[in-house]
Amino acid sequence: MIEAVVFDVGETLVRDDRYWAAWADWLDVPRHTLSALVGAVVAQGRDNADALRLLKPGIDLQAEYAARDAAGRGERIEESDLYPDVRSALEDLRSLGVRVFVAGNQTARAGELLRALALPAQAVVTSGEWGVAKPAREFFVRVIDLAQADPHAIVYVGDHPVNDVAPARAAGLRTAHLRRGAWGHLWADTDEAAGANWRIDSLYELVEIVRTERAG
C-alpha cells in the first residue's frame, strides 16, 4: 500500500517561468532567446543550465547567484508559481492518510522559499540542502530515509524521466511520470518514462490512484 508520496519541484509543483525569466532579465537577453535555448539543451538531453553557459561562455553560476542576491534580485517562489492542482491535491493525499513530502533539485534558498508557502507536506527539502542531486542514487536513499517507509510503499512523482523516474525506480521506489512542462512532454514516450508505474497528466489523477489502491 502507498504510505508516502514524494514530489519533485520544478515543473511538477512549481512553474519554471519566473526562474528563467529572472535569469534572462539578469543577463540582459530577451526572455524568448533564453527560453529557446533551454528547449534546445533539453532536447539534447543536456543540463538546462547549459542554456546560460551558451549565452555567457565561462559564466560562474554560483557567483551570479550571489550577485543577484546582493542586488535584491535573487530567487523568488510565490503562490502564483504553483500549478493550480498542487495545494488541493496535496491536501487530498493527506486526507487519505498518506504522508506527503517535497524533494527536488533546487538551491537551499529555494527550500526556504518553498517552506514559506506552507504547503500541506510533512517536509520540504532540496538537493542544495542535502549536498546531493538527482539522478544520484544517494538522493533517493535520502528520500527513503525522509519518508520513513519501505521503498515500495513510496511513490516519487516527477516530470523528468531521466532524473526522476529511472533513478527512483532503480532505488526501489514506485514512480509516477507527470506529463507537464518541457521535459514531461518532450520525453513522455521514452523508455525511461515508460518504466513508470503510472503516467499522469495532473496531480488529481495521482490522488485517484492512491484512493483506489488504499480502498482496495
Side-chain angles (χ1 to χ4, degrees):
M1 182 178 292
I2 297 170
E3 298 177 16
V5 178
V6 185
F7 291 91
D8 168 51
V9 178
E11 293 302 333
T12 295
L13 301 183
V14 176
R15 292 186 177 91
D16 282 345
D17 308 46
R18 184 195 299 275
Y19 178 84
W20 292 113
W23 270 114
D25 294 346
W26 175 253
L27 296 176
D28 195 25
V29 298
R31 292 181 177 185
H32 175 71
T33 298
L34 180 54
S35 178
L37 285 173
V38 170
V41 299
V42 166
Q44 294 170 3
R46 296 164 59 181
D47 180 354
N48 56 19
D50 282 348
L52 301 175
R53 298 183 181 103
L54 287 170
L55 282 171
K56 302 289 182 179
I59 188 172
D60 183 334
L61 291 178
Q62 292 306 313
E64 293 294 334
Y65 268 117
R68 284 178 54 185
D69 286 339
R73 296 171 62 181
E75 287 185 87
R76 291 171 56 198
I77 301 176
E78 300 176 357
E79 186 73 22
S80 60
D81 296 313
L82 297 175
Y83 275 99
D85 57 359
V86 169
R87 196 170 287 279
S88 57
L90 270 58
E91 289 171 349
D92 287 347
L93 289 170
R94 294 281 298 269
S95 72
L96 292 172
V98 173
R99 297 193 300 281
V100 174
F101 303 91
V102 177
N105 276 2
Q106 269 74 35
T107 64
R109 174 58 177 159
E112 297 172 358
L113 294 169
L114 286 165
R115 286 189 288 274
L117 293 179
L119 293 170
Q122 269 84 1
V124 175
V125 293
T126 67
S127 59
E129 295 167 323
W130 275 348
V132 61
K134 298 179 290 184
R137 183 177 181 84
E138 177 61 25
F139 182 94
F140 292 96
V141 170
R142 293 194 177 221
V143 165
I144 294 167
D145 289 342
L146 178 71
Q148 290 293 291
D150 181 84
H152 195 66
I154 304 167
V155 178
Y156 191 81
V157 185
D159 64 301
H160 199 308
V162 174
N163 278 0
D164 299 330
V165 175
R169 183 185 180 198
L173 286 70
R174 285 191 280 178
T175 57
H177 177 247
L178 178 60
R179 190 171 178 269
R180 181 138 83 188
W183 295 264
H185 286 92
L186 181 63
W187 293 341
D189 295 326
T190 60
D191 290 342
E192 290 85 359
N197 296 89
W198 300 281
R199 304 175 77 177
I200 59 177
D201 292 313
S202 80
L203 299 186
Y204 295 132
E205 292 180 38
L206 179 68
V207 172
E208 292 310 310
I209 289 167
V210 173
R211 192 191 311 277
T212 298
E213 177 162 315
R214 291 182 71 86

